[in-house]
Amino acid sequence: MIERQLSHSESIQPKNSLANFLDACSRALSRAFSTAWWWLRQVTGDAAYDNYLRHHFHSPTLTRTQFYRDSLRRKYSTINRCC
Amino acid sequence: MKTALKVLIWVCVSVLGAAALGTIAFERNEPLNAVWLVVAAVCTYAVAYRFYSAFIAAKVLALDGSRATPAERLEDGKDFVPTNRWVLLGHHFAAIAGPGPLVGPTLAAQFGYLPGTLWLILGAALGGCVQDFTTLFFSIRRNGKSLGQMAREEVGKRGGMLALIAVLAIMIILLAAVALIVVKALKDSPWGTFTLAMTIPIAILMGIYLRFLRPGRVLEASFIGVSLVVFAVIAGQWVNTSPSWSQAFSFSGPTLAIAIIVYGFAASALPVWLLLAPRDYLSAFIKIGAILALAAGIIFVRPVLQMPALTRFVDGTGPVFAGKIFPFCFITIACGAVSGFHALISSGTTPKMITSELHARQVGYGAMAMESFVGVMAMIAACALTPGVYFAINSPAGIVGKTAEAAASTISSWGYPLDPSAITALAHRVGERTLLDRTGGAPSLAVGMAQIFSGTIGGDRLLSIWYHFAIMFEALFILTVLDAGTRVARFMVQELGGRVWKPLGRQGWLPGILLSSTLICGAWGYFLWQGVQDPLGGINSIWPLFGISNQLLASVALVVGTTILLKMGKLRWIWITAVPMVWLVAVTMTASYQKIFDPNPRMGFLAQARALSMQIVAGKIPADHIAQTQRLILNNRLDVAVTAVLAAMVLALIVEALFVWSSLIFGKKDVTTHETPYVATRWAAGTGD
C-alpha cells in the first residue's frame, strides 16, 4: 500500500568517518526530498491517475483524460472547501 | 529513563506555554513581541494534541486500529480510497483552510490582541479541534455519512431537509461576505484589479493545458500558472503608473460588485476543467506559499505588536463591527477557533479516505490546530500595525469620515494618534491611491503581511509588490471559495428544487443549471449589493451574520456528537463536546438576540430599520436616496428573518436532542447506534504510514 519508491545509492568503502558522515547526510537528504516530492504529487492529485491504475476496480480502464475529468466532476459536486 | 526524559520535555513545554500565555495576558507596560504569541500557540497546541486528543482518542472515542474503515471495506478507486495519513492531513488541511482564519482575527483585532488570541488558542484546543475530531470519527463509523444525515439518524427526523436549508443559507451569507471583502479591497485599485483579472485567462490557459495537452499533470500546470501570476503582480506596477491603463482598471465598488456576480455565475456554470479547477490549483499553491512565507517572515522579523492588549472598543462601540467582547469576539473569529463548516468537511470526503481510525486524531485534531495557527499568524500581522493605521483602514467612511484629515482627527480623538500625511504616505508606499474605507480585513492584513515580508526581503522598495502579492493571494483564494461555493450551492438548489419540480433536479439540463445559478448568484449578489451601498461598511453586518450562522452549525455538530457519545455509553465523558456546545449556544443565541433586538441602530437590525424609517418620515433623506434607504430597511428586516430562522431551527434541534438525552440517561430509550458493524481490518496495525 505504500507507494513510495525509494532509491538508495550503493556506496561502498567510505574512506573515513567524515566521508561516512557526509555520505549519510546526502543519502538522508535525498530520501527526504524524494519523500517530499512523493507527498506533493499525492496531495496535489498529480499522482491520482497512477494510484487509480494500481487499484482500479472497473473493467474498462479510464484514460488519463477521462479519469481527470471524472475526478474533477466528483470533487466539485460536493462541499470541498471551507470558509 | 526514556519516560523520565519525555516527562521532563513535556513539563518544560507546558511551563513555557503557560509562561507565554501569562505574558500575553498580563504584560501591559511594554509592547509585546509577536514571538510570545507564536510560543504560546505552539506549546498549547503541542500539549493539547499530546494529552487531550490522546485522552479523547483512547478513553472517549476508543479508536480501534483493528477495525476496517470504509476506505478499506468499500474501496472503489474513486471516492473510497485508502490514503496515507500525511497525504490525507494535507488534503484535509487544504479543504478546511479558507479565508476565515485570515479575516476573522484581523477584524477581531479591534478589541486588541488579547481576546482574539486567547480564543484562537483555547477555543481551538478545547472546541474546534474536538469538533473536527469527533465528527470525523463518527462519520468514519457510519461509512462517511454527512453531518445532516447523522443529525437525522441520531437526533431526530426533523434534521434532513432543515439541515440542507441551513447549510444553503450559511453558504449564501458566506459567499456574500467574501465577495464584499474582495470588492472593498479592490475598489479604485488598478494594480490589484489588473492582477486579479489576469488570473482568469491564466486559469483558462492552465485549464486547457490540463484538459488537452497534459491531462492530470497538476504540478506542471500549476508551475506555469504560478509563474504567470507572479509576473502579473509585478506587471501591475506598470499598469498602476500608466495614466490610461490605471484608468481602465479602476472600478468603483458597485461596478466591481456586478463584475464579481457575473464572474461567479460564469465560473460556476462553465465546465469545471476550464476555469474553476485550475483556479483552485493556482490558489492552493499560492495559499500554501503565502502561509509558509508568513510563518518564516514572522520568525525572522519577530515584529513587535503595536496594537494594545485591549482597546477601548471592548465596550461595544467599535467602528469595525458593533458589539461587545462577549459575544462578538467569539462570533467574529469562527474558523481558527470553532467552525461548523469544518464539520461538513470532516464528514465529507475525508472519512472515506482514511486508512485507520487511529489516524483520525492526527487528521481531525491536528489539521484544525494548524488552521488555528494560521489564525494566530493573521492576528500577529494585523496587530503589527499601529492602532491609528489599523482603524484608518478598517473603519467605514460613514464613521470616521471620507478624507484622511477627517479620519485622522476622529481616530486620534479615540486615543489612537494618527497623522493624515502618514496614512496617505503609507497608501502611496503600498501602491494604492488610498487605504481609507478599505473595510473587510483583507487590505489591513495585506499591509501587515507586506511589512513583515519587506522586513525579510527587499525593504521598503518592495513594499508595494509585497502588498499586492498579499492582496492577490487573498483575493484569488476568496474567488475560489466563491466560484466553487456557488457551484455547490447550485447543486443543492437543484436537489431541493428537484423535489418540487422534477426537471430542475436533472444535473445536465442547461435551463435548470442556468436557473439555479441565477437564483444562487442573485441571492448572494443581493447581500453583496446591499453591503457595498451600506455607509457603515457592509462587513459590520454581514460578517457577524456569517459568524453566527457558522457557529450555529458548530452547535449542531456538537449536539450530534454529544448524542452519539451518550448512545455509546460515555455519559461520564460527554463534557468534551457538551461544554463547548453550551458555550457556543450561549454565544450564538446572545449574539442573535442582540443583532435582532438591540436598541442601538448600529447593532440591532430592527433598530436600524426603525431609525432609517424615521429619517425618511422626518424628511432627512434627499429624494434621490429614498429608494436606496428603503432597500436598506428591507435588507435589515431580511437579516432579522435569516438570523431568527437559523436560531429557531437550531433551538428546535437542541430541544429535540434534550428529549433524546434525557431518555438515554434515564434508561427509557433503546440505545440503537447507527454504526456499521465491526469488520476486522486485513491490514497490519500501523500501515498507511
Side-chain angles (χ1 to χ4, degrees):
Chain A
M1 225 218 355
I2 313 305
E3 305 303 346
R4 287 174 283 178
Q5 303 294 319
L6 304 174
S7 67
H8 299 269
S9 60
E10 305 280 302
S11 71
I12 325 162
Q13 316 278 334
K15 291 198 181 63
N16 53 35
S17 59
L18 176 65
N20 241 350
F21 174 70
L22 289 175
D23 200 42
C25 278
S26 81
R27 266 185 283 145
L29 213 58
S30 123
R31 253 203 312 274
F33 271 119
S34 73
T35 309
W37 180 246
W38 169 84
W39 179 86
L40 188 64
R41 289 197 68 231
Q42 290 290 334
V43 172
T44 53
D46 213 52
Y49 188 60
D50 304 330
N51 293 344
Y52 164 75
L53 287 178
R54 256 186 292 272
H55 294 293
H56 75 273
F57 294 86
H58 309 280
S59 37
T61 306
L62 298 174
T63 64
R64 192 180 273 276
T65 307
Q66 288 170 327
F67 177 78
Y68 174 64
R69 293 200 68 187
D70 186 53
S71 62
L72 288 188
R73 184 193 52 78
R74 272 181 290 113
K75 185 177 175 190
Y76 293 102
S77 353
T78 176
I79 292 175
N80 72 320
R81 172 62 42 80
C82 181
C83 38
Chain B
M1 189 55 213
K2 248 186 160 183
T3 319
L5 185 62
K6 278 189 194 165
V7 168
L8 182 65
I9 290 174
W10 283 107
V11 166
C12 289
V13 169
S14 309
V15 167
L16 187 60
L21 281 171
T23 311
I24 295 170
F26 298 114
E27 175 60 64
R28 294 285 188 277
N29 296 324
E30 291 174 15
L32 201 65
N33 192 297
V35 172
W36 284 108
L37 270 70
V38 173
V39 169
V42 170
C43 289
T44 310
Y45 299 142
V47 168
Y49 183 78
R50 170 62 187 84
F51 294 104
Y52 192 45
S53 75
F55 154 70
I56 295 176
K59 284 275 180 323
V60 184
L61 303 179
L63 301 186
D64 187 351
S66 74
R67 203 176 166 118
T69 58
E72 178 184 353
R73 282 183 288 105
L74 306 174
E75 184 174 1
D76 64 359
K78 292 183 173 187
D79 293 313
F80 292 91
V81 180
T83 308
N84 172 285
R85 59 156 79 180
W86 294 102
V87 173
L88 193 59
L89 178 66
H91 275 151
H92 189 73
F93 176 72
I96 63 174
L102 301 172
V103 173
T106 306
L107 298 178
Q110 166 180 260
F111 294 133
Y113 62 74
L114 180 58
T117 304
L118 288 182
W119 170 234
L120 277 166
I121 297 175
L122 299 174
L126 300 172
C129 296
V130 173
Q131 181 215 250
D132 287 20
F133 183 16
T134 53
T135 309
L136 175 61
F137 171 73
F138 296 139
S139 185
I140 293 171
R141 286 273 174 105
R142 289 159 179 75
N143 280 345
K145 285 207 174 99
S146 69
L147 179 66
Q149 287 167 310
M150 291 197 289
R152 188 175 43 227
E153 277 180 359
E154 307 290 352
V155 181
K157 290 248 172 350
R158 263 170 285 259
M161 174 79 92
L162 291 183
L164 196 54
I165 295 175
V167 171
L168 195 56
I170 292 167
M171 289 208 66
I172 289 170
I173 298 168
L174 163 70
L175 295 175
V178 296
L180 184 59
I181 292 169
V182 171
V183 168
K184 291 292 186 180
L186 294 183
K187 62 174 186 177
D188 302 313
S189 171
W191 188 337
T193 311
F194 168 78
T195 307
L196 197 65
M198 284 301 108
T199 62
I200 295 173
I202 291 172
I204 291 177
L205 198 71
M206 282 173 65
I208 293 171
Y209 184 92
L210 281 164
R211 166 84 170 83
F212 297 108
L213 294 173
R214 301 273 286 164
R217 313 278 191 195
V218 173
L219 287 173
E220 289 170 18
S222 304
F223 178 76
I224 297 169
V226 171
S227 317
L228 288 173
V229 167
V230 169
F231 179 71
V233 174
I234 298 171
Q237 194 167 31
W238 304 326
V239 167
N240 198 28
T241 46
S242 145
S244 49
W245 283 99
S246 65
Q247 190 58 32
F249 281 98
S250 242
F251 298 112
S252 68
T255 316
L256 267 178
I258 295 176
I260 287 183
I261 294 170
V262 169
Y263 165 76
F265 181 86
S268 68
L270 286 171
V272 174
W273 59 265
L274 182 60
L275 186 54
L276 206 151
R279 284 189 63 92
D280 200 7
Y281 293 132
L282 200 55
S283 75
F285 276 99
I286 291 178
K287 167 179 71 174
I288 298 297
I291 289 173
L292 289 175
L294 183 59
I298 287 173
I299 292 172
F300 185 80
V301 172
R302 292 181 298 280
V304 172
L305 303 179
Q306 305 293 340
M307 294 286 279
L310 290 166
T311 64
R312 51 175 287 178
F313 297 120
V314 297
D315 60 5
T317 58
V320 181
F321 59 88
K324 296 199 177 92
I325 254 191
F326 182 88
F328 285 95
C329 179
F330 312 105
I331 292 291
T332 306
I333 299 180
C335 304
V338 189
S339 165
F341 229 94
H342 288 196
L344 297 178
I345 310 277
S346 295
S347 57
T349 54
T350 308
K352 298 176 176 135
M353 293 165 71
I354 203 160
T355 314
S356 158
E357 287 187 4
L358 300 175
H359 301 170
R361 185 182 158 212
Q362 172 180 349
V363 173
Y365 200 97
M368 179 61 191
M370 286 162 59
E371 157 125 337
S372 181
F373 186 67
V374 172
V376 171
M377 291 202 297
M379 179 64 84
I380 291 173
C383 292
L385 302 175
T386 59
V389 167
Y390 172 84
F391 286 113
I393 303 175
N394 281 305
S395 304
I399 292 182
V400 296
K402 289 195 167 70
T403 63
E405 286 72 22
S409 127
T410 316
I411 293 169
S412 302
S413 74
W414 293 337
Y416 304 116
L418 178 66
D419 195 311
S421 57
I423 192 69
T424 316
L426 180 62
H428 289 144
R429 278 166 55 214
V430 299
E432 293 279 32
R433 302 247 158 64
T434 176
L435 282 173
L436 297 174
D437 195 36
R438 290 203 182 275
T439 56
S444 58
L445 178 66
V447 172
M449 286 174 69
Q451 285 179 338
I452 290 172
F453 289 150
S454 61
T456 319
I457 297 177
D460 213 48
R461 276 180 313 121
L462 287 190
L463 191 68
S464 55
I465 301 270
W466 285 127
Y467 172 82
H468 286 281
F469 176 77
I471 285 281
M472 178 276 298
F473 139 67
E474 290 176 82
L476 185 62
F477 194 11
I478 284 175
L479 281 190
T480 319
V481 171
L482 199 69
D483 51 34
T486 305
R487 188 182 159 84
V488 171
R490 198 237 306 160
F491 280 123
M492 290 180 182
V493 164
Q494 284 190 272
E495 186 194 324
L496 269 175
R499 298 186 197 186
V500 174
W501 184 45
K502 253 197 133 31
L504 193 59
R506 290 203 323 251
Q507 283 306 328
W509 191 48
L510 188 62
I513 292 176
L514 294 177
L515 177 62
S516 41
S517 292
T518 309
L519 278 171
I520 292 296
C521 290
W524 64 255
Y526 168 79
F527 283 105
L528 168 64
W529 188 256
Q530 293 307 315
V532 169
Q533 310 284 5
D534 183 0
L536 293 180
I539 207 74
N540 72 317
S541 47
I542 205 155
W543 190 261
L545 206 54
F546 166 64
I548 290 173
S549 53
N550 194 2
Q551 299 203 329
L552 282 172
L553 189 58
S555 312
V556 169
L558 290 167
V559 163
V560 173
T562 308
T563 311
I564 295 179
L565 282 179
L566 272 175
K567 288 188 178 180
M568 286 166 70
K570 306 282 181 173
L571 175 57
R572 61 192 284 232
W573 303 124
I574 60 164
W575 53 266
I576 65 146
T577 48
V579 167
M581 179 200 77
V582 166
W583 169 255
L584 278 181
V585 170
V587 164
T588 50
M589 292 304 160
T590 312
S592 304
Y593 182 85
Q594 287 183 2
K595 285 311 281 183
I596 296 175
F597 295 113
D598 196 285
N600 181 347
R602 270 206 68 214
M603 167 70 111
F605 294 131
L606 284 178
Q608 192 180 73
R610 228 174 290 129
L612 288 170
S613 303
M614 276 165 42
Q615 280 190 338
I616 292 183
V617 165
K620 287 195 181 138
I621 311 280
D624 53 349
H625 275 72
I626 287 191
Q628 184 186 315
T629 310
Q630 279 169 336
R631 273 198 301 271
L632 275 174
I633 294 171
L634 176 67
N635 192 48
N636 273 299
R637 298 207 172 117
L638 186 62
D639 288 344
V640 168
V642 170
T643 312
V645 166
L646 284 174
M649 287 200 299
V650 173
L651 274 175
L653 182 76
I654 290 173
V655 164
E656 198 164 355
L658 283 170
F659 280 112
V660 174
W661 297 347
S662 67
S663 42
L664 283 169
I665 293 174
F666 299 114
K668 293 200 187 85
K669 193 176 170 76
D670 227 351
V671 178
T672 45
T673 179
H674 292 88
E675 287 185 6
T676 53
Y678 176 89
V679 172
T681 177
R682 297 185 318 261
W683 302 324
T687 45
D689 290 319

